[in-house]
């Protein structure tokens, strides 16, 4: 939608030079979204300053930092085409009487000059490649020729470049996601990075878990970059998502045998403002039924995650100095006639900020600890309340 809007504005400038009448009618149509209002942050992903992009590609800061990129922004078009392609591999394999088939494709996009540590995926293109288990390799001569022809045709119509590849891991649904890089994937991604990164075109790998996506009713995909061979993480037992896992078995189950040779990028999705408005309408009118058709609280991974959430809340609460809080809230109460409500009153940030000397800093520190502990409790309690309400609603409607 936003690309069409941008094209309309460009046409307005051209037509205005030749015919004032056409310019007047067109400019009236675009008045509400023109220079009077700033460009929406999501809409900005659809545009790019060519000069800034060229400068970023020339400097290539990612060559000197193995962990330069932190996130990936994926467009709705790219997401839908990836999911459709990966699901078609599942259907094809099952219909033939075998197991789901792995598929592969290429990602079109660019690094983002506005947020240099973000890669933007604007579109994807399926490749005629199929595989099984953890082996999907684009080394067939016909496939290579197809990729070359596709790249040449896109150079005539698109400013973006091929900057990544995606493939599916259609394995049985379990507790952990199957979005990881196998040893074959590591070799493939490393070759791409060695060829493209030095020339200002950083490459990434996206792995899709189509069966889990179907089971959870939401896209299950992750994006990765591979470490150079000479790089070793300074943190022992650090997994691709940054977590520290001591058990070797757990690391292998979740991230594969090459868990220490790549890292995960945060995946974000963007769409134009008009597209978001349409999705809001669809959500209000139609997609509310999904909430009644699923029970996230009963899913194995969520149930296993509850103890860790409770432990984190307990740790935050244990860090609070309750005696100090009581003493602070009791000051100025007059004598010893402090009731229970005033004894456990939490000092506000305003009062802490206005306190002079080191006392103000201590109060601000206490407030930060209190807020962190309270936020964890509120978030956990709210989730449980919502789950309970949903279960009661289902019981009243369907029992």
């Amino acid at each position: 939608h936003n690309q069409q809007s941008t094209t309309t504005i460009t046409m307005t400038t051209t037509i205005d030079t030749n015919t004032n009448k056409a310019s007047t009618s067109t400019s009236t149509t675009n008045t509400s979204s023109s220079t009077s209002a700033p460009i929406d942050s999501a809409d900005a992903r659809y545009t790019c300053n060519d000069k800034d992009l060229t400068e970023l590609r020339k400097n290539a800061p990612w060559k000197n930092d193995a962990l330069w990129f932190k996130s990936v922004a994926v467009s709705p078009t790219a997401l839908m085409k990836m999911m459709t392609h990966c699901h078609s591999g599942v259907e094809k394999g099952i219909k033939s009487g075998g197991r789901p088939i792995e598929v592969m494709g290429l990602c079109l996009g660019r690094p983002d000059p506005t947020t240099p540590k973000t890669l933007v995926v604007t579109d994807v293109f399926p490749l005629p490649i199929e595989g099984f288990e953890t082996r999907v390799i684009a080394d067939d001569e016909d496939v290579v020729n197809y990729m070359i022809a596709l790249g040449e045709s896109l150079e005539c119509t698109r400013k973006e470049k091929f900057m990544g590849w995606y493939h599916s891991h259609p394995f049985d649904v379990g507790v952990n996601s199957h979005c990881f890089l196998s040893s074959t994937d590591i070799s493939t991604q490393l070759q791409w990075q060695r060829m493209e990164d030095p020339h200002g075109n950083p490459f990434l790998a996206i792995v899709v878990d189509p069966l889990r996506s179907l089971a959870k009713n939401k896209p299950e995909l992750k994006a990765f970059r591979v470490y150079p061979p000479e790089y070793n993480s300074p943190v022992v037992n650090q997994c691709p998502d940054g977590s520290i896992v001591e058990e070797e078995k757990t690391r292998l189950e979740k991230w594969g045998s090459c868990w220490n040779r790549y890292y995960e990028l945060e995946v974000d999705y963007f769409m134009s403002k008009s597209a978001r408005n349409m999705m809001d309408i669809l959500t209000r009118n139609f997609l509310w039924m999904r909430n009644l058709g699923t029970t996230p609280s009963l899913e194995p991974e969520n149930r296993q995650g509850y103890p860790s959430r409770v432990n984190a809340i307990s740790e935050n609460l244990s860090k609070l100095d309750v005696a100090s809080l009581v003493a602070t809230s009791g000051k100025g109460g007059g004598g010893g006639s402090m009731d229970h409500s005033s004894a456990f009153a939490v000092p506000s940030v305003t009062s802490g900020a206005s306190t002079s000397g080191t006392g103000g800093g201590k109060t601000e520190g206490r407030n930060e600890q209190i807020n962190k502990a309270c936020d964890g409790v509120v978030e956990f309690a709210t989730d449980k309340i919502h789950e309970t309400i949903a279960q009661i609603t289902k019981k009243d409607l369907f029992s």
Side-chain angles (χ1 to χ4, degrees):
H1 296 285
N2 191 60
Q3 286 178 318
Q4 293 177 352
S5 176
T6 305
T7 304
T8 304
I9 296 172
T10 305
M11 290 175 61
T12 302
T13 306
T14 306
I15 297 173
D16 180 63
T17 306
N18 302 301
T19 59
N20 294 329
K21 182 179 180 180
S23 174
T24 303
S25 59
T26 306
S27 61
T28 303
T29 304
N30 292 279
T31 299
S32 60
S33 60
S34 59
T35 56
S36 60
I39 299 177
D40 187 87
S41 58
D43 291 344
R45 296 289 191 193
Y46 290 93
T47 62
C48 180
N49 187 298
D50 293 340
K51 183 179 179 180
D52 293 342
L53 179 58
T54 302
E55 186 68 19
L56 179 60
R57 292 187 186 277
K58 180 181 178 180
N59 295 332
W62 48 83
K63 292 191 298 184
N64 301 319
D65 187 352
L67 296 169
W68 173 260
F69 290 104
K70 304 298 182 183
S71 61
V72 178
V74 182
S75 72
T77 300
L79 176 62
M80 291 299 297
K81 291 174 70 174
M82 272 192 292
M83 300 308 299
T84 301
H85 185 207
C86 294
H87 289 158
S88 68
V90 174
E91 295 177 354
K92 183 176 181 180
I94 293 177
K95 285 182 179 179
S96 62
R99 296 182 61 82
I101 296 175
E102 289 191 37
V103 297
M104 175 183 168
L106 292 176
C107 302
L108 195 71
R110 65 178 189 278
D112 186 14
T114 307
T115 53
K117 296 192 175 184
T118 299
L119 292 169
V120 180
V121 179
T122 57
D123 205 348
V124 298
F125 294 88
L127 292 177
I129 300 175
E130 296 178 353
F132 297 93
E133 293 303 324
T134 56
R135 295 187 61 83
V136 179
I137 308 175
D139 58 359
D140 184 82
E141 183 177 353
D142 294 335
V143 175
V144 174
N145 291 334
Y146 175 86
M147 293 167 60
I148 294 174
L150 179 61
E152 292 176 349
S153 64
L154 289 174
E155 286 181 358
C156 302
T157 58
R158 306 287 287 269
K159 293 183 178 180
E160 302 98 325
K161 297 181 179 181
F162 286 130
M163 42 71 70
W165 65 295
Y166 72 89
H167 70 288
S168 62
H169 280 180
F171 311 143
D172 294 336
V173 180
V175 175
N176 297 317
S177 169
H178 294 297
C179 295
F180 63 89
L181 294 183
S182 65
S183 57
T184 303
D185 300 336
I186 294 287
S187 300
T188 302
Q189 174 62 17
L190 186 59
Q191 290 178 16
W192 280 114
Q193 289 183 196
R194 283 175 167 174
M195 289 189 298
E196 299 293 334
D197 281 22
H199 303 289
N201 188 39
F203 229 76
L204 82 155
I206 295 178
V207 183
V208 182
D209 188 340
L211 293 179
R212 192 176 184 84
S213 300
L214 291 171
K216 306 300 180 183
N217 286 323
K218 63 178 182 179
E220 185 72 25
L221 61 85
K222 294 181 180 180
F224 306 103
R225 290 262 300 170
V226 172
Y227 296 134
E230 64 275 9
Y231 179 86
N232 290 309
S233 175
V235 183
V236 180
N237 295 330
Q238 185 179 39
C239 294
D241 62 348
S243 62
I244 309 297
V245 179
E246 301 294 339
E247 296 182 3
E248 179 73 12
K249 180 180 178 181
T250 303
R251 294 196 299 265
L252 294 175
E253 289 177 349
K254 191 171 183 179
W255 301 107
S257 59
C258 301
W259 56 269
N260 60 341
R261 298 313 310 157
Y262 64 99
Y263 73 99
E264 181 183 355
L265 305 178
E266 180 183 353
V267 178
D268 188 22
Y269 305 102
F270 67 93
M271 62 176 65
S272 64
K273 186 176 181 179
S274 57
R276 287 201 306 272
N277 292 337
M278 180 61 68
M279 286 301 300
D280 289 341
I281 295 173
L282 291 174
T283 302
R284 288 195 302 269
N285 294 341
F286 303 103
L287 303 183
W288 58 269
M289 292 179 287
R290 288 185 180 179
N291 293 329
L292 297 180
T294 58
T295 309
S297 60
L298 299 181
E299 295 176 357
E301 60 268 32
N302 289 334
R303 296 177 65 180
Q304 292 182 5
Y306 284 141
S308 60
R309 293 183 65 182
V310 173
N311 288 336
I313 293 172
S314 177
E315 290 178 2
N316 290 333
L317 292 175
S318 64
K319 295 177 182 178
L320 298 179
D321 188 352
V322 179
S324 176
L325 293 177
V326 173
T328 302
S329 59
K331 290 180 180 180
S337 59
M338 182 172 58
D339 59 16
H340 291 287
S341 60
S342 63
F344 290 93
V346 178
S348 64
V349 177
T350 304
S351 63
S354 63
T355 305
S356 60
T358 59
K362 292 181 179 179
T363 303
E364 291 178 1
R366 284 196 297 269
N367 287 333
E368 183 178 353
Q369 289 181 343
I370 295 169
N371 291 335
K372 186 175 181 180
C374 291
D375 288 344
V377 174
V378 171
E379 181 182 0
F380 184 76
T382 302
D383 289 344
K384 298 301 292 183
I385 290 172
H386 287 170
E387 293 168 3
T388 303
I389 292 174
Q391 291 297 89
I392 294 175
T393 303
K394 292 176 187 178
K395 180 180 179 181
D396 291 341
L397 286 175
F398 306 121
S399 296

